[in-house]
Structures are given as structure tokens and as C-alpha cells.
Amino acid sequence: MERVIVKTNSLSKHYHVGTQTVIALDGVNFEVKEREFVSIIGKSGCGKSTLLHMIGGLDFPTSGTVIVDGMNLSEMNEEQLALFRRRKAGFIFQQYNLIPDLNIYDNITFPLELDGAVVDKEFIQELVETLHIADKLEMFPSMLSGGEQQRAAIARALATKPAIILADEPTGNLDTSASHDVIGLLKVIAEKYQQTLIVITHDLDIAQMADRTVRLQDGKIWKGK
Amino acid sequence: MEGKVILMLANNNRSVINKLAENTIRTNKRQFFILFLTILLSSFMLFSIFTIGLTYLDLSRLQNTRLYGSEYDIAVMNGFTEDQREILCNRSDIKSVGVLAYCGNVKSSDSDRSVNAGFLWGDKMYWESQKAPAVTEMKGHYPQTRNELLATEEVLEACGKSSLSVGGCLSLTYEDYTGIHTTDFVISGIWKGYGGDKASFYVSKDFYEQTGYDLESSGILQVKFKSNYMTGKTIEKLRESLGLSLTQVFQASEYIERSLTILFAVLGLCFIICLSAYLLIYNILYLSVSGKIRYYGLLQTLGMTKKQLVRFIRKQILLVGVTGITAGIILGISVSLILVPYVVKVLGISLGNTGLYFYPEVLTLSILVTAAAILCGVRKPVHIAADVTPVEAVKYRGNIVVPCARKKRQGNLYWRMAKDQLKNNKKRTAVVFLSLAMSLIVFFCLTTLIDSQGRRTVYPNYWDADFIIHNSTQTTEDITSLRQAIDDAFLSDIQKTEGVAEIHAVKGIPVTFPYEEGGFSDFWIKGCTEMKPYLTCSDAVSEYQKNPEKYYGMIKGIDESEFDYLNGSLGSIIDQQEFLSGKTAILQYAGFEIPKKWIGSSISFSTGNQKQEIKIGAVSYGDYYGATVNFGANLIVSENYLESLTSKPYVLSLTVKYKQSYDVETEKEIKNIIEANPYNHDLLSISKYDDMKTIQDSQSGMFETGTVISLLLLLVGMLNYINTMANSMQNRKLTFSIMESVGMSKKQVKKLLIREGMLYAGGSVFITLTIGTGITWFIFQSMNYMKIPFAIPVLPLLCAILLVMILCVLTPIVTYKRTVRNRSVTERLREYE
Ligand SMILES: Nc1ncnc2c1ncn2[C@@H]1O[C@H](COP(=O)(O)OP(=O)(O)OP(=O)(O)O)[C@@H](O)[C@H]1O
Ligand SMILES: [Mg+2]
């Protein structure tokens, strides 16, 4: 049996807006094994993005623990979390979130540069060619279409060869065939580099491509029929 | 009917827009606060800098006035005609024409047998208009009757009458054009103030008229222009229009000659200040409008027309602009017209009759410049906002950066990114560099000027000595009056004083020049009688023949290095060997001109018993070796030669150099030694330190306003920087959040920000040290009356640079921390969804 790489323990996240409390996650126990491809589905606002942020070390839980690759994220300080994000996790955001004042190439290699790592140029070339943005590297994010920006963001997430890829609706702006291509590519790369892949999607076809699908409802894992 | 509806709609719209404008300002508090602060700072900066700057100029004019003793731009000396005065009085560009005249000198008083003081007469215009700014206190009145005198404490002390007050009497023996008289005078007034005329008495018109002097041959006309700035051409034309005679001297003051340079320097500074205010406002406006393009696009999608949108943006800016300018001006008024004078008063500095004034022109100018900057600054971003289609607007994310060719990727990531930041935001970088460098440069410039003010304007004395002591026991007629006031014990006391580097004594003895028909002594006595018209020539000659020692002269010895100096000043015409061996002498006299024919000829003199002869090598008209009281000529010879004439020469003057110029302790020590000397009343001291103090006194207030301006500018520059950085951080929030989301740690963000700050600081400091040094050098030289070497006050400049560097590095970090405010990355990212 493969190792569990992501494990959450009664993970909760509450947001306080004025006097109101929004419960985005409510005692989630969730596990992903190494090299597994998991898709997360659920209604809008059910807490998918929040869960992914917790796993990616982008936010602190209100209670409960997140353990990724043997590290307890809830016990780490900001410095360590930044390091974790840089080295272990590749995050693809719902909004592509490219850095506006860097060109596409610099955006893609930015996490590597932060680490002072040597850029594997061949690998980057392979990535951008597969993602069809090889001719956009010199451009700045504001000059790219939504889909191109999304693909650049994917390239950035993969550039560091992270142990775990977290994608929040990575195909939201792509047509069906392009979406399938991108997910297919993610899958191929994940297999090739033995990465774990967690994808949030609205597209049931894409969810089907995963090894396993998890459904969230009102901040809880849905354990229906 | 339809028209009416549209009209109604339009009206409605306006109120909707008003409401919307107010609401947007309320909800975008931070953005608008930055804009408000920018406008406030700009108008504040313009107002206070111009106000203080104008005051500074007024004060520096006042200092000049005090230094010269009265307010004038041009002096016509050695007499003037009534016609010339008429011409000047009739000119419309002249404010005042005053008359000043020398009319005799005091030789002794009933309390002091050797007095050196002059009599001066000034007309009403001179005394009441031109002299007034240099007078700080006046008791009594200007002399009205023949026996009245106006005095200073200094001149009374010189007469040994320091206890006298207004109404007191004293008897003076004085010499005028008609002879030597002894008269009783009444002190009609005592004044305190500035100027070189403090060793003089002012007399009444009646007194002047009976002294035998006349304005045509010895009066001085002092002219003050209405304007403070005059071109050299105007001055030259004025000179020509007067048709001056050969003996008349036309002299423009240093200040008026440099007035245009000063004016251009001031205008240049004004321009830089206005430009930086403009850039600042433009930049912030541009950023704050384009930062809300998405919002404006949304308003357009919701049905707002372009016209309405433009009006809407204008409305917002107008609201912020009007409040910003008002607040800035109020702040400026309270700081420069209330706070600064208050501080100055608390520090106990008298600004004389020039305080900080309210200049309406400055108010108008500040409002105009700020308003113009807002109007220009708002045009472009408004068009961007209005021309952008709603769809584009929604996609709009900050300024579109034009990609540049990919450069070689090398060097540290942080440095590279920091450099890109500066390069990609050229306008912002320019504003930061300009405002920081400008503040630093003005600080640099003013501290350099203030620091050197004393030295630049102190007259260098002989050999740049720190202290000179003259033996003035001598009287004019009595050859035996000279005493050894500076004896060996005194010399060794001075020598032993801590802080004294070297001393140098000039020694000499009285000599007589026996009468020789047609010889040097004959020429000499005839020359003297010409200056004293009350003596007839034949009387004087027969008197001389009888008592040549009544017309005695001095022989003074100098060493080799002094000879080199003196010979150099004469154009090196004397052979050193001949001088040192005692074959030639330099004839020194500050009175009439000595014809060339005497140079090269031998003259005879006697020292008590021996008769000697020596060749005259050159004539020097300087008075380096003490004021000459003797009638006869001074012969400057080599030290060795002097010693061959007498075993015990008198020390005539002593030059002291300190290890450290202007050393207070040494100065005090030396004054104590002089005080203990039994001849202390007949020792005349000249102290470089006192001269410098006098100048510093005369510029009271200038130092302080200068410091206030430079500190204010430094502050404004730093506030500009903080403001610009706060704004830029506002615009880069998203970028930092994204960077952090892909694994940049806070430490790394700080590393980047520190480098950016260092680049800003480095750039500004670089500009300051290059262009700033140039500007400072230029201004320094244009005011370098005494030709002192250019020196930079290193410590204050280093402090200012350090301050700016710390600020540059800290500001981005602090503003970054403030925008983050403990929120997680996702929270910050969500702001942009
Ligand atoms: N910073 C926040 N402050 C307040 N409420 C928040 C915050 N972040 C998330 N929420 C709330 O938490 C809930 C879960 O949000 P989340 O973004 O995880 O939903 P989602 O499942 O990703 O939805 P979608 O499919 O639309 O992206 C939502 O109700 C949202 O309003
Ligand atoms: Mg989501």
C-alpha cells in the first residue's frame, strides 16, 4: 500500500465577517495517497478552494491539523510555510495570479529563482511547448488571453517539480478539448515525476479522469450513497 | 416636452454624480488620503519654501548692509558734484541717494593721549534711510549743533570715556583740514549696531561745514536702487551717465554685482521646486486614477456615459484638490509664519526689522502651481479612464508594462527585480530621485554656505594670522614715545600658550631723516604739507630743519620668508640677496604716492648717533606692519641689517598662528596675557576669531532660517518619498501576494524591498554628490568674496545622507507590513477577485 501524503484531521476554517461567522470547512478528515490523482467537486461556496488553500499552506486552519508529506503545516511558522509552498506544492489558482511586472518566462521560473536553484531549461521548454505558450515567454501577463494565462500558471506550478500539485479549477477558461488536453498533460507529468495531483473542478468529465473523486458539501466531505 | 425630460435627467445625474463622488472618496479612503496628502505636501512645500526663501534673501541683504554699515548698492567716492547728485536723484530706479563725508580725526582726548578715531558726517537720507538697517539701538538724536557728537560705545572706549552716556561732555583734540583743535563736545546720542564706522563720531552739518572739507573733493555718495537685482549693463550705463572725473571712484557693492547670479540661482531653485511638486502630483494622480480603471469600467458597463465619467472623476479630484491645497496653505502659514518665528524668538534671536513676512505673491504662486499640476495631471488619466472600453477596463490590471528585449539573465534575483522596479516605473523613480536629491542638495548647499559664511566673509589679515598684536605706544611727534610693550617675557608667555603654533615678531626702531635740500627728506616734508593744508610749506621746512626728530620715521626688520611674501606682492622686483645683506630697503607708506624716481636711489637716515645710507628697492603702500602714526617714512629692511643697527629693537607687532584656527581656549589665554601686560591699553589686538564673530552676529537669524529651510526641505523630500512609496505599495499589494503564494517568504520580500530602497537612496545620493556638488560649488564660488577654498561640511552631510538611506530602506518595509496587516495570503488575494 502507498504512503499517505496528505492527511487532514477534523480540519475547520471559520471566517468572521462582522458579527457573522462563515464556516467554510467543518471538521474535514481527508486523505490522499502518494501519486494519487484526486478530484474535488461540490457546489460553489462549499469550501473547495478553502480546503486546497489549507493543504497548500496558504492559510491557517481555525482548528484541526493538516499533515503533508509528514509535515504538520498547522505547526509551521510563516517562513517554513513559504519554503513548503516553494518546494513541495505547486499551486494553480482559480484566478491565474501571474505577477504583472514579470514576463511569462520569469513568472514560470520565479519559484526556482527564489530558491536560487538552477533552472532546468530543457524541462521548462518541454513544459511550455506542451502547454502551447512557447511563443509567449517574452510577453507580460496583461497581454495574454485568459486561457494562455491559465496555462502559464500551470507551467509555473509544475516548474519546480513539486511533490504535490494543487489545481483550483485549472480549466475554467478553456474549451472542452483544451481542458481535456491540459488535464491529460497534468496527469502525464504527475505520473512521470511521481507527483500527487489534487484538482478542483466543476466538470464531471474531468472528475472522471481522476483515480478518486471527493465531493464537498457545506464544508464537509459528502458521504452520501 | 422631450427636452424637458432630458434636462431633468441631466440635473438628476449631476446630483447622482455628486453623491457617487463623495461615496467613492469615502470608500477609497486610503487612495484619496494619499492624493490629499500629496496635494497638501506640495502646496505646503511651495508656500513655506518660498516664504522662508524670500526671508532668507532679505536677511542676507540685511547681513550685507550690516557688514558694510549701511544699505547701498553703489558708492561714488573721492568727492562728487552737485550735478552728479542731481542725475542720481532724478532717476526713477533709485530709491535713495545719501551723502557721507569724512571730516577729521581725533588725536587725543582728555583721558587718552593716543586716540585713533574719525569724524563723519552723513545727511538725513544717509542716516535715516541707508544707515537705519544697520543700527540696532539708538539713544538720543543725530547731532544738530556744532558741539554735538553721536558716538558708539566702541569709540567712547577708544577715547577712554566708556562711562559717558547721552548728554555727557568730553574734550577732544582733533585734526581737520584747517588745523589741530581742542574742543569740548556734548554726546547727543549713542548708537549700537553694525559696520566699520563704529570707531567714528558722527557730527552735525554745522560742524562739517567748518572743518574745511568739501563734498566736491572728499564726499561720498551712496546710492540704493529700488530693485534688489541689477544687471551689470545698467550699472555700467549709470556709471557712464555720471561723467566721472579721473579721481572719482565708482564702486558697486559685491551684492548688487552678484545680484543677477543670485536671482538666477533663486529662480532655478524655484523651478526645481515647482517641477518636483508638479511631478509628484501628476504621478500620484495618474496612479490613483488608473488604479481605479476597473471600477470606472464597471460604472460604464452600468450605463454611465463617458461625459459623466469624466465629470465624475473631475469632481472627485476637485474635492480632494481644494481641500488639499487649503490644508497645505494653512499648514504652511502656521509653520512658516507662526511656528518658525516662535522658535526663533524662543531661541532668543532677534530678526531685527526683518521678520518672516507674509508675501501674497507666494500664496498666489503656490496655489497656481499646485492647481496647474492638478489640472495637467488629471488630463491624461481621465482620458485613459474614459477611452478604455468597459471590457478592457475589467481586464485592466495596473499599468501596462512595455516588454523590453530579454537581457542576459545574471546577477542576484533581488537586485535584478529591484532594478526592474525602478526601470519600469520611470516616472515614479524620477519623482523619488528628484525630491530626495533636491532636498539633499538644498541641505548640502545651505550647510556648506552657512558653515563657510564666517570664513567666506572675514577679511583675511596679514599672513592669515589668528591673532595680531600691535604695539601702539608711539605718538606722532615724540620720537621717544615708543616703549617695549611687547617684551621678551611677554613673547615667551605667548609662545608657551597651549594651542599656539607659531609666533612672529616684527621689530623696529625710530629713525630720523636729516634734512637735505632737494633730497628725500625735502620731498617727504613737502608731500606731507600738501595733506595738511593748514601748514605752509616754508614753515614746515624750517620746522623740519630745526627738529627732524619731530618728523621721525621707522625702520622695521623682516625675515626671509616675510620678504618673499612682501616681494611677491610687489611683483618680485627686488633682489633677495641685496635685501638680506642690507643693501636695499622697501619704502612703505600708506599716504601719498611716491614718484618712481626715488626707486633705486639711496637715502640717508640716522638712528640716534649713526648716520646710514640705504637704497630704496621698491615702494609698498600696504600697512602690514601696523598703523603708521609717525610722519616720516617707514623703511623695511632685513632682520639682520636691523640688528646690525641696534642691539635692542622694539617689537612693533606680533603675529600669532594657532594650531587650530578659531580656537576659543587659545584665544582666551592670549587675551588674558594681554590683559596682564602693563601697557595693555596701548596694545592693539586684531583677532580673526573676533572678526568672524562680528560677521556671525551680523547674520543673526540667517543661520537659523537657513537651517530651517534645509531641514524643512529634507522633511518634505522624505515625506514625498514616504507618500510615493505608500502609493506604490498600494499598487503592488497584489503582486506581493502572488509572489508569496508561490513560495516567496516575508524575509525574501523584505530583501527585495531593502534593495529597492537602497537603489532609491543610492540614486539620490549619487545625484546629490555629483550634480549637487556642482551646484553647491557654483553657488559657493559666486558668493565666495574672500576666495577661501571650497570645503564641504562633511558631518552634517553624512548625517543627512544616512538619514535618507535609513528612511529609504525602512519606508517600503514599514508600508509593506502595514498593507499586510497579519492577513493570510489567501485573504489578500481575495481582495482582487
Ligand atoms: N476571506 C474570507 N472571508 C469571508 N468569507 C470567506 C473568505 N474566504 C472564503 N469565505 C467563504 O467561505 C466559503 C467557502 O469558500 P470557497 O472559496 O472555499 O468556496 P468554493 O467551494 O471554492 O466556491 P467556488 O466553486 O465558487 O470557487 C464561502 O461561503 C465564502 O464566502
Ligand atoms: Mg473556489
Side-chain angles (χ1 to χ4, degrees), chain A residues 13-17 22-25 41-53 59 94-95 168-169 200-202 216 219, chain B residues 824 826-828 830 833:
Chain A
K13 179 72 182 177
H14 300 178
Y15 291 107
H16 302 278
V17 184
V22 179
I23 301 173
L25 288 178
I41 53 170
K43 280 200 208 121
S44 175
C46 67
K48 305 184 294 291
S49 298
T50 309
L51 175 61
L52 215 62
H53 291 157
D59 209 345
Q94 199 163 355
Q95 324 74 33
D168 193 345
E169 291 181 45
I200 296 177
T201 184
H202 277 131
L216 272 187
Chain B
S824 72
T826 37
E827 266 176 287
R828 279 182 281 143
R830 279 182 87 93
E833 270 175 28

Side-chain angles (χ1 to χ4, degrees), chain B residues 81 84 87 237-246 248:
Chain B
T81 64
Q84 286 168 337
I87 292 172
K237 275 220 180 99
L238 176 70
R239 201 182 82 86
E240 280 164 15
S241 75
L242 289 178
L244 297 168
S245 74
L246 277 175
Q248 277 181 297

Side-chain angles (χ1 to χ4, degrees), chain B residues 304-564:
Chain B
M304 197 181 241
T305 66
K306 272 199 177 124
K307 224 170 155 186
Q308 286 173 325
L309 183 66
V310 168
R311 205 186 300 149
F312 166 63
I313 299 175
R314 289 236 169 99
K315 186 110 206 160
Q316 290 181 334
I317 304 298
L318 189 75
L319 270 174
V320 181
V322 168
T323 46
I325 293 179
T326 317
I329 298 287
I330 291 174
L331 189 66
I333 290 177
S334 38
V335 168
S336 49
L337 297 180
I338 300 169
L339 189 67
V340 172
Y342 176 74
V343 170
V344 163
K345 208 170 139 196
V346 165
L347 292 175
I349 302 141
S350 111
L351 285 177
N353 31 17
T354 327
L356 277 170
Y357 288 127
F358 174 75
Y359 301 90
E361 310 91 287
V362 167
L363 179 70
T364 325
L365 183 74
S366 328
I367 293 178
L368 278 184
V369 171
T370 320
I374 295 176
L375 287 181
C376 297
V378 83
R379 262 183 36 208
K380 196 166 170 212
V382 159
H383 283 293
I384 296 175
D387 289 345
V388 106
T389 64
V391 181
E392 282 173 324
V394 171
K395 274 174 76 183
Y396 194 94
R397 261 192 178 179
N399 299 336
I400 290 171
V401 190
V402 183
C404 29
R406 174 119 56 88
K407 338 122 220 146
K408 278 236 178 70
R409 204 164 290 284
Q410 42 177 232
N412 181 292
L413 169 77
Y414 306 106
W415 279 117
R416 213 172 61 217
M417 288 181 65
K419 270 186 223 153
D420 281 349
Q421 255 312 305
L422 266 72
K423 242 186 268 162
N424 292 337
N425 297 279
K426 292 208 177 66
K427 246 183 251 154
R428 185 171 72 210
T429 311
V431 169
V432 169
F433 279 173
L434 203 73
S435 64
L436 280 182
M438 188 191 66
S439 337
L440 275 177
I441 289 173
V442 174
F443 183 84
F444 185 5
C445 208
L446 289 183
T447 45
T448 307
L449 289 183
I450 290 168
D451 182 63
S452 64
Q453 184 72 22
R455 285 178 288 120
R456 264 188 298 113
T457 32
V458 166
Y459 273 99
N461 45 43
Y462 171 62
W463 257 21
D464 202 23
D466 293 290
F467 208 96
I468 297 173
I469 305 162
H470 287 304
N471 177 349
S472 65
T473 49
Q474 218 181 334
T475 61
T476 305
E477 280 110 4
D478 188 359
I479 189 165
T480 62
S481 58
L482 193 58
R483 297 281 176 279
Q484 192 63 287
I486 303 177
D487 57 11
D488 290 344
F490 183 82
L491 283 176
S492 84
D493 279 350
I494 299 271
Q495 178 87 70
K496 273 186 281 177
T497 304
E498 176 86 34
V500 167
E502 56 176 301
I503 64 168
H504 187 86
V506 172
K507 295 171 187 169
I509 44 167
V511 286
T512 51
F513 299 95
Y515 186 75
E516 293 164 3
E517 182 78 48
F520 180 73
S521 49
D522 187 39
F523 154 74
W524 190 267
I525 184 65
K526 281 173 181 159
C528 287
T529 51
E530 256 167 53
M531 294 181 63
K532 296 179 190 302
Y534 55 86
L535 291 177
T536 64
C537 191
S538 55
D539 282 358
V541 171
S542 67
E543 174 77 12
Y544 193 103
Q545 278 170 311
K546 261 185 268 161
N547 294 315
E549 61 279 357
K550 265 189 95 174
Y551 299 89
Y552 75 99
M554 295 293 293
I555 187 158
K556 302 176 182 180
I558 59 175
D559 65 11
E560 188 174 335
S561 58
E562 266 184 284
F563 167 74
D564 287 342

